Amino acid sequence: MSTSLIYRNATVYELLIRALYGRYYPDRYRAVEGLVPVGASVVDLCCGPATLYTRYLRQKSVDYTGLDRNKRFVTTLIKAGGQGKVWNLTSDAPLPEADYVVMQASLYHFLPQATPVLDRMLSAARKQVIIAEPVRNMSSSNNRVLAAIGQRFTNAGDGAQAHRFTETTLDEFFRPYVARVVRQELIAGGREKLYVLNANS
Ligand SMILES: C[S@@+](CC[C@H](N)C(=O)[O-])C[C@H]1O[C@@H](n2cnc3c(N)ncnc32)[C@H](O)[C@@H]1O
């Protein structure tokens, strides 16, 4: 199955994300970057064109590995000097270990069964799991045209994504992990919610 236009090209992807987040675009990356200490190791799941690395983490000498099923994005990352692997995260293969295992704006791709991927993240993290997930987005818009664009243009290769989190459903998703949650807050003008969980230890 072919991917949506938004996932075919790193520049197109970034332009659309910038348009969607407007003045909050840098905030979504800074919120995650601020949680990662200088010199730490990071595995970024569904890294996309790896803007988190190229614009934010690289300057902190972070040992970064991005995983994505999209070969074009992984190639872009490797050309930019990062480590990247083509990886389909629906596979139950254990993830590479790192101090911080991160996922931004991608948990919805695993609905309605997103728990296994979170459990694999917790097993791979030596320190923390950081997830920032959209809770207000085009596909849940009351405007049917925007909603259709949001769903159709985020097909990563396995079909259009009709399911998204709201803040309520995301909070419900994390409820079984409450003992590990050390931080939860809205970021990027309320467009995403950040969760930080302590790793298995
Ligand atoms: C909305 S983008 C997020 C990119 C980046 N994390 C960001 O916040 O800008 C979602 C990414 O998830 C990737 N993706 C979707 N399903 C995947 C899967 N099953 N395995 C690996 N990557 C996947 C897509 O290729 C895409 O790059």
Side-chain angles (χ1 to χ4, degrees), residues 7 13 28-29 45-48 68-70 73 87-90 104-106 108-110 156 158:
Y7 289 152
Y13 173 81
R28 67 185 298 267
Y29 297 110
L45 309 185
C46 299
C47 63
D68 201 289
R69 69 183 290 168
N70 186 323
F73 286 160
W87 196 297
N88 187 342
L89 288 152
T90 55
Q104 191 158 24
S106 302
Y108 66 88
H109 279 297
F110 305 95
D158 51 5

Side-chain angles (χ1 to χ4, degrees), residues 23 66 105 194:
R23 67 193 169 98
L194 177 78

